[in-house]
Amino acid sequence: MFNSERLKTARERRMLSAKGLAERVGVSAVTLSKYENGHSPDDPTVGRIARALDYPVNFFFRDSPERLDTSTVSFRSLSRMRAKERRAAEAAGTLGIELYEWVGDRFNLPSADLIDLSKERHRPHVAARLLRQHWNLGDRPIGNVLKLIESKGVRALSLSEATTNVDAYSFWRGDHPYVFLNQEKTAERSIFDTAHELGHLVLHHHAGAKADKEAETQADRFASAFLMPESDLMDYAHLSGPRQIIAAKKRWKVSAMALAYRLHSLTYMSDWTYRSLCIELGKRGYRSGEPDGIERERSTVLAKVLTALWSKGLTKQTMADDLGIPLEEVEALIFSLSPNRPEPSPGLHLVW
Amino acid sequence: MPSFTTSIAATPEAVETRLVELFVELAQIMAIGQTARAYADDASPAMPLNAAGMLSYLHGVGALREQLVGPHYVMDRACGIESVVSRNRTIRIGFQNVDKCCVHMPPLPRTEKGSGAESLSGPSLFEYVGMEPGPLTGVKPDGILTYYVMVGLDGSIELSCPVIEKGKYVEWIERIFIHSPEADWEAEPVADDGPLDDFDVSVSFKEG
């Protein structure tokens, strides 16, 4: 039976209005609205809808998707986001949950090991310290934040939204914390986003989502303190020039601006020095990007899953077919990873 | 000169038997050791160099009392040794940081032991060979055997009763091996302040 929820999900993924899709399908907006509200289209129309949205026909006949409760989702940059961008990102979340449930049905995955720090939401630096203690991290920098949170059971997926307005978002689904990260950002920014979403997961979601500016500021402060513990940064309190900042930032895998902000917020840097530094870093291109950037972090869980599937002759296409979604959607969600295929034996050659 | 015969409990059965006799449980000693290690790991670079050992000691002693004070043990501070003592006053248990536990070579203390620890350990070598050494330190022993939950730098744990002289362990009356990490460990780990990225991400196919 045709599933109207799936039609809506696919349309939102393609960032089309109901009217825009209706024109592509060759029906009236009213008719399309009926399809999205429970009326089943005939087979030729379903075919036209599938072609217009570039989704497999069988996608529209699967069970209702697990639509996100949007009130429980924390977006990184809500204010800049347009409604259709938000809906497209949320629809990606819907597909991401299905994908991870597909994986979870077949694989043993790390269990969630996060603690409820909502009581410390007004002291994000304390929350960051407590989480580091809980995970026995001490004050050392974290070489791979995505790998760390995955080892603690956070389910990380990627977003390939062609907009810089959608950074990242997170939510709890049952016992499973989810984080979605846009891959359009610099690697350093993405790492900060990861820590920011981790902040939301421990500070806000247990107490219900608070998609307000204060919650965003708290998550930012959590991320800053979690990535750059004061005790570790103390050795670098003398940093002041742009060259020093650019050289030092690699230790914490953060942007030059984030390091400068942290040093300033800890009063290791005067207002005047901070302002001058921001201007100088901006001139060097560090406001909009991260010249000489680091390698992007990718999902360790999904890389292992793909490699394990490959060993059984299964591929991303298998995943896409099972889920009834286009391969490109799967790739967009899994950080465009490819399985680590075993190296061919040197004694073997392809014979044409 | 006769040598000490150290009683070593290394097999799970022997350890279990001895712990029952001492009115403690394996899980309690494990919890003490793990708490101490967790706090040692929490020492930050901004703290003094001995912070890891201090934190381990402070929280190790705290955990020792949280775990053991109850029907069989009460708090004790004889001769300045922060410990617990059995209600029938036959066994005392303290806490000490050592280099490594549960291997053939006995642990080395990480700090010089004081006169209190020396007095409460016994018998001394003099007493063992039947000599009357007289008061060595001005602190009198009370005849209660003093064991220590010893926690190694690698997280290894043993519950042992050493003879302490001149600030060092010179002999061992008994060693009970509690926990030995699987990882190889040969030398004192160098203080590392580089980035952490060795996180265990376990993924495996489900059975069936």
Side-chain angles (χ1 to χ4, degrees), chain B residues 83-190:
Chain B
S83 59
V84 294
V85 66
S86 62
R87 289 179 188 270
N88 60 9
R89 300 194 65 79
T90 53
I91 299 290
R92 176 185 289 110
I93 302 178
F95 177 93
Q96 286 188 356
N97 290 310
V98 296
D99 64 339
K100 183 169 175 61
C101 302
C102 306
V103 286
H104 177 67
M105 186 178 287
L108 292 173
R110 289 178 61 193
T111 54
E112 191 168 308
K113 301 298 114 188
S115 59
E118 189 165 328
S119 296
L120 292 182
S121 80
S124 72
L125 291 182
F126 290 106
E127 291 162 335
Y128 193 70
V129 297
M131 290 174 65
E132 176 53 59
L136 293 174
T137 61
V139 182
K140 289 194 174 178
D142 55 9
I144 302 174
L145 271 184
T146 303
Y147 284 69
Y148 292 94
V149 176
M150 298 186 167
V151 179
L153 288 163
D154 60 345
S156 53
I157 306 164
E158 65 180 66
L159 178 61
S160 298
C161 181
V163 176
I164 301 172
E165 283 185 15
K166 294 180 181 172
K168 294 184 171 53
Y169 306 140
V170 290
E171 287 295 349
W172 296 81
I173 295 168
E174 182 171 17
R175 296 178 65 197
I176 304 170
F177 293 181
I178 302 294
H179 171 67
S180 178
E182 289 174 8
D184 285 344
W185 184 91
E186 292 300 333
E188 183 169 333
V190 177

Side-chain angles (χ1 to χ4, degrees), chain A residues 229-305:
Chain A
E230 182 174 2
S231 297
D232 190 44
L233 210 60
M234 216 175 274
D235 266 353
Y236 300 80
H238 60 280
L239 299 181
S240 57
R243 282 174 58 187
Q244 290 176 314
I245 295 287
I246 290 164
K249 73 187 175 85
K250 291 190 170 71
R251 176 172 174 79
W252 299 277
K253 303 182 83 172
V254 295
S255 67
M257 287 291 189
L259 176 56
Y261 179 86
R262 178 73 171 144
L263 288 166
H264 177 242
S265 66
L266 291 171
T267 67
Y268 294 159
M269 188 179 281
S270 69
D271 292 347
W272 187 87
T273 305
Y274 177 60
R275 272 201 298 274
S276 307
L277 186 61
C278 287
I279 292 167
E280 187 56 38
L281 287 173
K283 283 180 188 168
R284 296 183 185 207
Y286 284 89
R287 185 175 292 282
S288 54
E290 211 61 33
D292 188 24
I294 57 172
E295 192 178 343
R296 182 175 295 284
E297 292 182 348
R298 295 187 193 284
S299 166
T300 305
V301 167
L302 295 172
K304 286 188 172 186
V305 164

Side-chain angles (χ1 to χ4, degrees), chain A residues 26-173:
Chain A
V27 295
S28 70
V30 174
T31 305
L32 192 88
S33 174
K34 285 182 178 174
Y35 296 156
E36 288 193 356
N37 286 290
H39 288 260
S40 294
D42 56 27
D43 288 348
T45 309
V46 173
R48 291 204 302 278
I49 290 172
R51 280 194 297 281
L53 292 169
D54 197 15
Y55 264 65
V57 169
N58 67 348
F59 174 80
F60 301 97
F61 291 91
R62 295 171 62 85
D63 291 340
S64 289
E66 297 278 337
R67 300 277 295 183
L68 292 184
D69 176 1
T70 53
S71 66
T72 63
V73 178
S74 289
F75 278 93
R76 175 89 170 80
S77 50
L78 192 63
S79 56
R80 293 198 306 272
M81 203 183 307
R82 290 179 292 167
K84 68 178 181 181
E85 290 172 344
R86 176 176 176 141
R87 284 196 294 270
E90 287 170 350
T94 298
L95 300 180
I97 291 171
E98 290 193 346
L99 187 148
Y100 235 114
E101 285 179 350
W102 185 93
V103 171
D105 286 343
R106 290 157 181 78
F107 290 88
N108 298 305
L109 302 172
S111 306
D113 180 22
L114 272 64
I115 47 177
D116 179 1
L117 294 168
S118 51
K119 287 182 181 165
E120 301 294 347
R121 59 181 306 187
H122 297 294
R123 300 192 303 165
H125 62 287
V126 174
R129 176 90 184 131
L130 290 173
L131 190 61
R132 273 183 166 266
Q133 276 184 342
H134 180 67
W135 287 347
N136 288 337
L137 297 176
D139 286 305
R140 287 166 63 183
I142 300 161
N144 191 329
V145 180
L146 195 53
K147 189 176 177 186
L148 167 66
I149 68 165
E150 285 193 310
S151 75
K152 304 302 179 187
V154 177
R155 297 180 164 192
L157 291 149
S158 56
L159 293 168
S160 288
E161 309 301 292
T163 168
T164 54
N165 290 342
V166 181
D167 289 352
Y169 65 94
S170 59
F171 53 87
W172 280 85
R173 181 131 199 113

Side-chain angles (χ1 to χ4, degrees), chain B residues 35-59:
Chain B
T35 301
R37 270 319 303 166
Y39 277 96
D41 289 342
D42 204 34
S44 88
M47 293 179 183
L49 264 181
N50 62 351
M54 283 187 72
L55 288 169
S56 172
Y57 176 73
L58 295 173
H59 293 280

